[in-house]
């Protein structure tokens, strides 16, 4: 096994869902920026990046969020950094956001845009992505989990702990974000939370199914 291979496997063995962090330890700005960049640079379906990362450091906001996030109580109290990952709503070929992406970010030529729009529409139709607003949102949420995984893996490579969190009241959090002016809930919906910091206590050894039970070669 090469050193690089060992480094990768060591990071995955190191990572665990940290329920409480050592609140006295803070992540260096440069390290956390690397974690954020890992999310920003993550792949997404059609390269549309249907996400937004809201870093919640304000203690008052964390306290209010804790009341409606039963799975994040320990993390909101102790994490060095806490991130709410939002999924973008109604990502269709003709939507203002996609038009912004293909024209202003990707800078497609004007003559290529109709074919690009058709490709996007055909893909979304074939996978029933654009059947309803809800199927569009679920597709966008899937993309956020790619970014989440890359952020947690990058953290582990930096010996920083993390925890993905789905334990929250979706409707209450959505309402809270709107009322507090934290997110435009017309265009974004909460997808998943993630906490980062340094573990308070050592974790148990990682337990997983053997590779032979989960991998099949044909």
């Amino acid at each position: 096994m090469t050193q690089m291979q060992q480094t990768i496997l060591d990071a995955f063995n190191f990572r665990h869902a940290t329920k409480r962090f050592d609140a006295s330890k803070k992540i260096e700005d440069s390290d956390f920026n690397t974690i954020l960049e890992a999310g920003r640079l993550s792949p997404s379906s059609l390269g549309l990046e249907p996400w937004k990362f809201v870093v919640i450091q304000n203690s008052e906001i964390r306290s209010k969020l804790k009341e409606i996030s039963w799975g994040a109580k320990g993390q909101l109290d102790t994490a060095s950094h806490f991130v709410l990952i939002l999924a973008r709503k109604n990502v269709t070929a003709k939507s203002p956001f996609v038009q912004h992406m293909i024209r202003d970010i990707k800078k497609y030529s004007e003559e290529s845009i109709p074919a690009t729009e058709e490709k996007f529409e055909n893909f979304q139709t074939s996978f029933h992505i654009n059947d309803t607003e809800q199927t569009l949102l679920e597709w966008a949420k899937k993309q956020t989990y790619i970014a989440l995984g890359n952020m947690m893996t990058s953290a582990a490579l930096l010996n920083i702990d993390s925890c993905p969190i789905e334990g929250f009241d979706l409707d209450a959090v959505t309402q809270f974000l709107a009322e507090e002016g934290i997110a435009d809930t017309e265009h974004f919906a909460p997808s998943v939370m993630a906490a980062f910091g340094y573990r308070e206590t050592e974790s148990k050894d990682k337990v997983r199914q053997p590779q032979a039970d989960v991998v099949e070669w044909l």
Side-chain angles (χ1 to χ4, degrees), residues 109-152:
S109 64
E110 198 63 36
E111 60 269 19
S112 71
I113 288 177
T116 299
E117 292 173 341
E118 183 179 8
K119 181 183 73 172
F120 286 4
E121 290 173 354
N122 289 342
F123 168 75
Q124 290 189 324
T125 298
S126 66
F127 277 86
H128 298 282
I129 292 166
N130 57 3
D131 285 356
T132 66
E133 289 187 2
Q134 186 60 38
T135 55
L136 278 165
L137 179 58
E138 292 304 320
W139 168 72
K141 285 184 175 183
K142 288 180 181 179
Q143 312 315 307
T144 68
Y145 278 72
I146 300 173
L148 170 68
N150 286 337
M151 292 169 75
M152 292 193 300

Side-chain angles (χ1 to χ4, degrees), residues 9 24 30 33 45 47 71 83 90 109 130 161 177 181 184 186:
L9 294 181
S24 68
S30 60
N33 187 63
S45 185
V83 182
N90 298 317
S109 64
N130 57 3
D161 291 297
L177 296 176
D184 176 3
E186 180 181 350

Side-chain angles (χ1 to χ4, degrees), residues 38 150 155 166 182:
N150 286 337
E166 294 179 316
I182 296 171

Side-chain angles (χ1 to χ4, degrees), residues 4 17 20-21 29 36 41 43 49 51 101 115 120 148-149 166 178:
M4 180 61 73
R20 290 190 63 84
F21 298 86
D29 289 347
L36 289 175
L41 294 170
E49 308 167 40
W51 48 51
M101 288 295 294
F120 286 4
L148 170 68
E166 294 179 316

Side-chain angles (χ1 to χ4, degrees), residues 56 62 65-66 69 72-79 82 193 195:
I56 300 176
R62 283 197 186 190
L65 190 59
K66 186 173 68 171
S69 304
K73 292 184 182 298
Q75 294 92 336
L76 280 163
D77 276 343
T78 61
F82 193 90
M193 300 172 177

